[in-house]
Amino acid sequence: MSPEQQIQELSAKIERYNFQYYQQNESEISDFEFDQLMAKLKSLEERYPEYSLPDSPTHRVGGTVTKNFETVFHIYPMLSLDNTYNEEEIRSFDERVRKGLDGAPYEYICELKFDGISLSFTYENGRLVRGVTRGDGTRGDDITHNVRTIRSLPLSVKGTNIPSRFEVRGEGFMPYRSFEKLNEQMDLMGENPYANPRNAASGSFKLQDSAEASKRGLDCYLYAFLSDEPIFDSHSKSLEALQSWGFKVSPGYRRVDNIDQVIDYIHEWEEKRLTLPLATDGIVIKVNALEQQQELGYTAKSPRWAISYKYKAENKPAILRAVHYQVGRTGAVTPVANLCDLTERNLPYGKVKGVQLSGTRVKRATLHNANELERLEIRLGDTVFVEKSGEIIPKITGVDVSQRDFFLTEAIVFPSECPECGTQLQRNEGEVAYFCPNETACPPQVKGRIEHFIHRKAMDISSLGEGKIELLYDLGLVRTPADLYTLQPQHLLGLEKNIFNEETGKTKKISFREKTVENILKGIRKSKEAPFKNVLFGLGIRFVGATVAEKLSNYFRNLEALIAADYEQLTAVPEIGGRIAQSVLDYFANPINLAMVHALKEAGLQMQTADLPVVIEGDSLSGKTFVISGVFENYERDELKSKIEANGGKVLSGVSGKLNYLLAGANMGPSKLEKARKLGVTILSEEDFVQMLQAAVR
Ligand code: IVH
């Protein structure tokens, strides 16, 4: 593959993982693997800068901003850290520091790297006034209501030498115990448990209801102090002060004199960190003197005075007892390994507790796809190695062939038929996953689509969970999301089912009593108020996640316009590429889907965006046409659109020779900009546009 192709492929892959990680709270790969991909892309871009993409993921600092909360700009940007994975990289960091400081003596502070979410807290006149997530590093979500629930975080501070305004930063996390308790409860309610404590923390800090957040045992370690007035001359002094003001600072930090001592610290914590009540994934090394930090400065995304060292994920042997084949919402068939500890090989499956790995017991691990089975060359009964990649989804990394007994092990044969409905499996060219094509009648696909539809980010029908959907499906009451809206109390009252949980080996009874039925129907009724973008996300169109759904809904504004859109119109939407466009076209080309969507409309779901009222302000833009593209600092695109319309202008969807102005924000597609330039269209920044309006008012 040519370097150009490699760069393109890697960028797309990383962007996909970025999207999963930052917007869906999911990850298919470990941090280590992700960082490796990033490092590979970085080095390719350095060697072949001419092929580096303008919107390469290496230019990104982090995630994007969730819309549900007020967005707040950080006064001091929230950067991230460069990662290292071995002693050599740590030593070259030290070399860079030594050179950067011209041979002057310096010391480091070593801290644990906590695995949660980065938070920033502002204090004014001693009182906590705001808590914000990192977001994209420049602006984050205001989650003050939830951070106030952190028991260890002082709501007000007293002491000498405290500036009238300051910021503290730290890692918000969910301790293992709270995590396990929460997942148990979610399981009881038939909801999907969180994959790991970091996702649980991230989801909980972003809850709308702080009463719920307060029950979740969230916590935070503080590791940075920022203020306009220089008060401390070293990081360690600021940590001591924070501690003395009542902030929770992890006691594990240490001041060291040289890089050998840093490496000692790394070794010391390698095992010890696993005994802590919360997840850690490495250590952070910081130059102690603030003056020296200033001297070393920053790159675009991280400080040159600090670095992180990531521990390799813990790896343990286990016995592969069986392989199950799971069919997902999209029909993809994933092999899943059933595992047990070496000491449990003779126990019945219900009694198996699993392998102790990075703080939890692991009984199942994904095997991804048929290729992975071939690659690993595993047999049933083998001793395999399991790893919790990035402490997320456990996976099998290899086989201990020395332990293999050919007579006691058995070859694994990937099924040729769907284990759920018996349909012949298929595989698309160029794709690794086998899938079941029986979209309309394969039970997990049908149930999966309904489960997706009721998801928090979709119709948010929390009174229905996985177990209840299963019951409704098994009784033939619900086959599509639209069927939910036909349910009546008499269909539901008195229904009962025992549901066996393979994971826990326990059976749970679900019964629909009066109160349950009332809640379910109330939740279904309430979902009719959910905005169009949620409905669109809930349909489960391939590649249309919550963010894409929002973009489509903002652009097309109603169902009919979206259904009528062709490939060109779809790809004209900022950040919508060919793959998404094709998937949307395929979805609406299917008469079964169209009928379902129309049934949803009939049922009274929101099939258009709530329009911002156009208040006529003037006619200074009369006869002028605009295209709005990219992301803006002070306005949403919708707001800009209504501003233009309020002043007599017209907003078009695509750049053409007739266009007067292109209102260009950050991250807009370079091809659009190029086209506008070629056609001689005037390009306006957000500031230009505001000035244009103001000039007209004067
Ligand atoms: S210092 C300029 N210290 O790691 C960045 N970060 O990859 C300053 N983290 O976003 C961060 N433990 O969420 C720092 N002791 C620690 C940390 C820590 C965890 C997280 C933090 C940050 C990420 C950087």
Side-chain angles (χ1 to χ4, degrees):
M1 206 188 299
S2 71
E4 184 177 14
Q5 274 172 321
Q6 276 188 52
I7 287 179
Q8 281 173 1
E9 266 203 35
L10 259 179
S11 304
K13 199 165 177 182
I14 293 173
E15 277 297 76
R16 206 171 64 239
Y17 289 135
N18 253 336
F19 176 78
Q20 270 183 353
Y21 186 91
Y22 285 106
Q23 306 210 32
Q24 301 181 316
N25 275 340
E26 281 170 16
S27 180
E28 271 171 33
I29 58 166
S30 66
D31 286 3
F32 177 74
E33 285 167 301
F34 181 86
D35 292 330
Q36 297 253 299
L37 290 179
M38 203 69 162
K40 193 168 161 198
L41 178 60
K42 246 191 204 166
S43 95
L44 276 168
E45 286 179 345
E46 266 160 30
R47 281 207 343 252
Y48 306 100
E50 67 272 31
Y51 299 136
S52 158
L53 301 173
D55 54 358
S56 163
T58 55
H59 302 165
R60 266 184 193 276
V61 182
T64 44
V65 181
T66 320
K67 286 282 147 59
N68 308 350
F69 299 93
E70 198 188 329
T71 305
V72 181
F73 278 84
H74 297 300
I75 296 180
Y76 318 95
M78 290 184 83
L79 301 175
S80 66
L81 292 172
D82 264 351
N83 293 322
T84 59
Y85 297 93
N86 54 46
E87 214 178 296
E88 209 185 316
E89 289 172 341
I90 292 277
R91 288 193 188 276
S92 44
F93 162 72
D94 184 47
E95 275 309 309
R96 293 198 296 276
V97 170
R98 187 193 317 281
K99 278 196 192 132
L101 296 177
D102 270 343
Y106 55 93
E107 53 187 21
Y108 290 119
I109 300 295
C110 299
E111 294 169 16
L112 283 157
K113 187 169 190 300
F114 310 105
D115 197 10
I117 69 164
S118 218
L119 297 175
S120 169
F121 309 99
T122 305
Y123 284 78
E124 280 171 12
N125 303 320
R127 295 189 52 232
L128 169 69
V129 291
R130 198 171 307 115
V132 183
T133 64
R134 175 167 177 273
D136 64 1
T138 306
R139 53 193 187 160
D141 294 330
D142 186 330
I143 51 157
T144 313
H145 63 301
N146 287 340
V147 303
R148 284 183 195 280
T149 72
I150 305 175
R151 307 288 192 276
S152 65
L153 186 74
L155 296 175
S156 63
V157 288
K158 287 192 195 74
T160 47
N161 217 4
I162 301 185
S164 58
R165 192 183 176 289
F166 67 91
E167 234 178 280
V168 287
R169 287 188 180 164
E171 196 79 352
F173 62 89
M174 186 178 285
Y176 287 126
R177 274 190 60 189
S178 318
F179 169 69
E180 276 156 27
K181 207 172 101 197
L182 173 65
N183 267 356
E184 251 166 52
Q185 280 167 358
M186 298 194 74
D187 188 46
L188 278 179
M189 295 191 315
E191 289 175 30
N192 274 341
Y194 285 105
N196 56 54
R198 176 165 38 73
N199 289 3
S202 165
S204 304
F205 275 115
K206 289 193 182 170
L207 283 168
Q208 304 272 5
D209 179 3
S210 58
E212 177 58 30
S214 82
K215 290 184 206 146
R216 296 203 174 181
L218 293 164
D219 207 342
C220 184
Y221 272 135
L222 286 314
Y223 51 65
F225 170 87
L226 296 147
S227 79
D228 289 340
E229 308 153 43
I231 305 181
F232 309 109
D233 57 8
S234 70
H235 177 57
S236 55
K237 284 198 186 132
S238 67
L239 289 182
E240 280 160 26
L242 282 178
Q243 221 160 356
S244 75
W245 295 340
F247 288 100
K248 181 165 167 163
V249 175
S250 163
Y253 77 87
R254 182 186 300 167
R255 200 172 65 174
V256 302
D257 292 323
N258 55 51
I259 206 67
D260 287 329
Q261 290 176 1
V262 168
I263 287 162
D264 289 345
Y265 182 89
I266 292 178
H267 290 154
E268 255 180 68
W269 278 101
E270 175 140 30
E271 290 293 321
K272 205 160 78 179
R273 75 187 177 100
L274 300 171
T275 63
L276 294 173
L278 76 154
T280 54
D281 59 352
I283 68 151
V284 182
I285 306 147
K286 302 172 181 173
V287 168
N288 193 22
L290 296 198
E291 206 179 328
Q292 293 183 326
Q293 290 186 359
Q294 291 309 320
E295 211 175 319
L296 289 162
Y298 299 82
T299 68
K301 66 172 214 112
S302 50
R304 290 201 178 87
W305 47 264
I307 201 144
S308 83
Y309 171 85
K310 293 260 203 119
Y311 288 112
K312 284 243 168 64
E314 201 189 358
N315 198 296
K316 284 250 184 88
I319 308 284
L320 175 64
R321 295 179 52 127
V323 176
H324 285 155
Y325 297 88
Q326 244 174 25
V327 183
R329 168 169 71 88
T330 57
V333 180
T334 312
V336 179
N338 280 359
L339 304 164
C340 71
D341 191 72
L342 301 188
T343 59
E344 297 175 317
R345 60 173 91 214
N346 297 319
L347 289 183
Y349 191 68
K351 294 260 182 286
V352 165
K353 289 215 165 71
V355 188
Q356 181 73 34
L357 205 62
S358 313
T360 52
R361 293 275 194 167
V362 170
K363 276 201 289 190
R364 284 146 60 88
T366 176
L367 283 160
H368 300 293
N369 51 53
N371 288 8
E372 178 76 353
L373 283 173
E374 274 171 33
R375 190 183 70 79
L376 289 167
E377 292 182 28
I378 41 175
R379 292 169 66 83
L380 289 180
D382 263 341
T383 302
V384 296
F385 296 107
V386 218
E387 184 173 305
K388 261 211 247 165
S389 46
E391 330 282 325
I392 308 181
I393 313 155
K395 67 178 189 188
I396 293 179
T397 55
V399 189
D400 187 350
V401 194
S402 71
Q403 297 295 313
R404 177 177 289 167
D405 179 329
F406 237 86
F407 296 103
L408 294 179
T409 58
E410 196 184 312
I412 300 170
V413 184
F414 203 92
S416 56
E417 284 160 7
C418 174
E420 299 282 346
C421 71
T423 307
Q424 187 79 23
L425 296 182
Q426 294 181 5
R427 172 135 84 163
N428 285 336
E429 212 173 293
E431 286 184 14
V432 285
Y434 278 96
F435 70 95
C436 166
N438 184 14
E439 255 176 61
T440 41
C442 178
Q445 297 191 53
V446 176
K447 280 186 275 187
R449 279 198 294 274
I450 302 165
E451 276 153 19
H452 175 80
F453 184 77
I454 65 162
H455 189 275
R456 202 166 22 93
K457 287 187 188 164
M459 308 314 288
D460 193 17
I461 312 180
S462 54
S463 52
L464 273 175
E466 216 175 291
K468 295 185 184 124
I469 298 276
E470 179 141 355
L471 174 57
L472 295 176
Y473 173 85
D474 286 353
L475 294 172
L477 286 168
V478 172
R479 283 286 181 269
T480 73
D483 294 340
L484 292 173
Y485 297 90
T486 63
L487 292 174
Q488 301 293 329
Q490 64 272 24
H491 297 144
L492 306 176
L493 262 174
L495 298 182
E496 264 184 8
K497 187 177 158 94
N498 288 326
I499 294 195
F500 177 69
N501 184 326
E502 236 182 64
E503 189 79 5
T504 57
K506 286 184 198 151
T507 302
K508 188 173 65 184
K509 186 169 185 171
I510 294 194
S511 48
F512 284 7
R513 288 188 237 285
E514 206 164 319
K515 190 79 201 150
T516 318
V517 171
E518 220 174 85
N519 276 339
I520 293 175
L521 294 176
K522 199 167 122 199
I524 294 176
R525 267 199 311 276
K526 178 124 202 335
S527 74
K528 294 184 186 177
E529 292 161 24
F532 179 45
K533 62 174 189 202
N534 292 42
V535 180
L536 204 48
F537 170 60
L539 296 180
I541 304 173
R542 226 176 154 202
F543 310 129
V544 180
T547 315
V548 170
E550 183 169 8
K551 291 195 165 114
L552 291 172
S553 109
N554 282 344
Y555 194 89
F556 291 103
R557 312 196 69 79
N558 64 56
L559 178 71
E560 276 67 34
L562 179 63
I563 294 178
D566 61 17
Y567 187 86
E568 270 65 41
Q569 285 164 319
L570 284 163
T571 46
V573 182
E575 288 150 82
I576 303 296
R579 196 180 59 153
I580 301 175
Q582 194 52 52
S583 170
V584 173
L585 288 174
D586 291 347
Y587 183 88
F588 290 116
N590 181 338
I592 297 178
N593 293 337
L594 268 186
M596 208 279 294
V597 173
H598 283 123
L600 288 177
K601 191 174 179 189
E602 281 293 291
L605 272 68
Q606 302 299 315
M607 292 298 182
Q608 58 185 33
T609 50
D611 264 315
L612 294 173
V614 177
V615 182
I616 302 299
E617 293 176 0
D619 61 359
S620 65
L621 306 182
S622 154
K624 302 273 190 295
T625 54
F626 293 78
V627 161
I628 312 170
S629 188
V631 184
F632 298 87
E633 276 205 9
N634 301 307
Y635 299 95
E636 293 295 323
R637 266 202 296 271
D638 263 1
E639 291 174 295
L640 289 171
K641 182 169 185 270
S642 47
K643 260 281 173 244
I644 291 170
E645 286 167 355
N647 287 283
K650 209 171 157 201
V651 178
L652 306 181
S653 60
V655 175
S656 72
K658 281 180 260 160
L659 181 68
N660 301 117
Y661 299 104
L662 173 66
L663 188 41
N667 291 341
M668 69 168 290
S671 58
K672 198 178 267 183
L673 207 54
E674 183 68 37
K675 187 170 173 191
R677 279 210 184 98
K678 276 196 186 135
L679 293 170
V681 173
T682 308
I683 297 165
L684 298 178
S685 69
E686 181 175 356
E687 220 184 326
D688 296 336
F689 175 70
V690 172
Q691 274 176 9
M692 184 168 162
L693 275 184
Q694 280 168 353
V697 173
R698 269 189 234 119

